[in-house]
Structure formats: C-alpha cells, structure tokens
Amino acid sequence: MSGLLRRLAVATAGVTVLAAAVWGAYGLTGLQEGGSSGEAVTLYDPRDARQVAGTADDVFAGTVVRRSGERDVYGVFSDLYAVRVGHVFKGKLRGTVAVSYEQGHEPLAEGSSYVFATGRVPDGRSHAVLLETTLTPIAGLTAPAHAPSSDSAPASVPAMSAVAAPAGRTVAEYWTWAVRHEIDVSPR
C-alpha cells in the first residue's frame, strides 16, 4: 500500500509542477483574456527614468520628420517614424533614424520633439521606443521637466513618475541625471 501512495504522491507532484509551468508560460506570454500575443513582460519600471535609461540602447531628444509606415516587430504592431536626432543623452545616434512606436498610443506629431528611449531592432537599421513608455512632446531641452501629474503642464518625462523629483530641472538636466544614474535591471 505504501508503494501505491508513493507513486500517487509522485504523480500528483508531477502534475502540479506541469500545471505551474503551463500557467507560468500562459501568464508570461500575455495570452490572458483580453491580452494579445504582442504583449510583453518588462523587467524595468517604465515610470522610473533611471531604469528606462538602463534598459535603453539609446536615449535622445529628437524631432519627428514624418510618419513613414507601419511594421510588426515580434508581434508588436507599430507606426514607423523618421526622427531627426538632436541631443544624445546615451548612445551614438546621429542624423535621421527610423523609430517604431507601438500602436495604441497617440500618434507622434510631425515637427514635434520628444525624448526617445529606444532599443535597437534586430534589422540593425532601426530602433523601437521601449514598450510601456508613452511619449509626450517637449517644448525644448531648456524647458522645465514635468512628470505626469494632476497639473496641466505637459509631461516631459515619458510616462514616468518623478523619481528624485525634477523640481527645478530642465528636460536636459533630468535626462542627463537619469542616464548618469541608470539602473540596469536586465537578468544576468
């Protein structure tokens, strides 16, 4: 009888491990009700500019030249923009670059400037705005940095709270600080 109980316990444990693995994979792939195959799990907090800077390959202020189409980057449907690089906070981008921005956000306005935190797309020629960050126009690098809040000032910190509040900082000072104090949250 104890051999039967032991086999039953081992089988139950095996089924439990298998169920946990399936549930974990199901949850991590974003296939829950209402989810889509394009959803991703981010390891960084998109509200913390230091973590965003640590995750991004490039952080720069740029101006949208034009919308140049759409594309699918690993199941994430995005609008593609030609962006003229201005001030570079991190990376070595120059000139005009192709940047994709996940659909579902307010489209980027031609002629408007933003701070972009991007990752390189495997095609080697373009960049994608980090998932779960939202871009808002900036008035310029010397404009006061505003985090999203209840006041009516536009945010110059893309969908991020003011970690080490930007009180009195310009957009350029805030992003320079974020890059200098970046937090790398990538798994080792």
Side-chain angles (χ1 to χ4, degrees):
M1 187 74 150
S2 71
L4 177 62
L5 287 175
R6 185 179 313 202
R7 283 190 296 234
L8 183 58
V10 169
T12 301
V15 168
T16 301
V17 168
L18 180 61
V22 169
W23 179 255
Y26 175 79
L28 289 175
T29 57
L31 298 177
Q32 301 96 321
E33 184 177 323
S36 71
S37 61
E39 290 180 4
V41 175
T42 55
L43 298 176
Y44 60 93
D45 181 350
R47 298 165 299 164
D48 185 338
R50 298 167 305 164
Q51 289 185 33
V52 170
T55 302
D57 294 317
D58 300 281
V59 178
F60 62 96
T63 303
V64 175
V65 177
R66 70 183 168 285
R67 182 178 178 278
S68 55
E70 297 178 339
R71 73 169 162 195
D72 174 354
V73 180
Y74 296 119
V76 177
F77 295 98
S78 303
D79 292 319
L80 189 60
Y81 295 91
V83 176
R84 187 175 52 254
V85 176
H87 184 83
V88 175
F89 299 102
K90 179 180 179 180
K92 297 181 186 207
L93 294 179
R94 302 280 183 260
T96 300
V97 296
V99 175
S100 59
Y101 187 45
E102 185 179 10
Q103 291 179 349
H105 294 287
E106 185 73 25
L108 302 181
E110 189 173 307
S112 292
S113 295
Y114 304 85
V115 174
F116 294 87
T118 65
R120 291 184 196 98
V121 176
D123 68 9
R125 299 171 307 191
S126 60
H127 307 269
V129 172
L130 296 184
L131 292 175
E132 297 186 24
T133 59
T134 303
L135 300 179
T136 55
I138 59 171
L141 294 177
T142 59
H146 295 286
S149 66
S150 58
D151 69 321
S152 61
S156 54
V157 181
M160 297 169 211
S161 64
V163 175
R169 290 188 181 173
T170 65
V171 171
E173 290 168 337
Y174 183 76
W175 281 102
T176 298
W177 171 85
V179 168
R180 283 187 185 149
H181 297 90
E182 69 181 37
I183 299 170
D184 183 2
V185 296
S186 60
R188 302 274 175 207

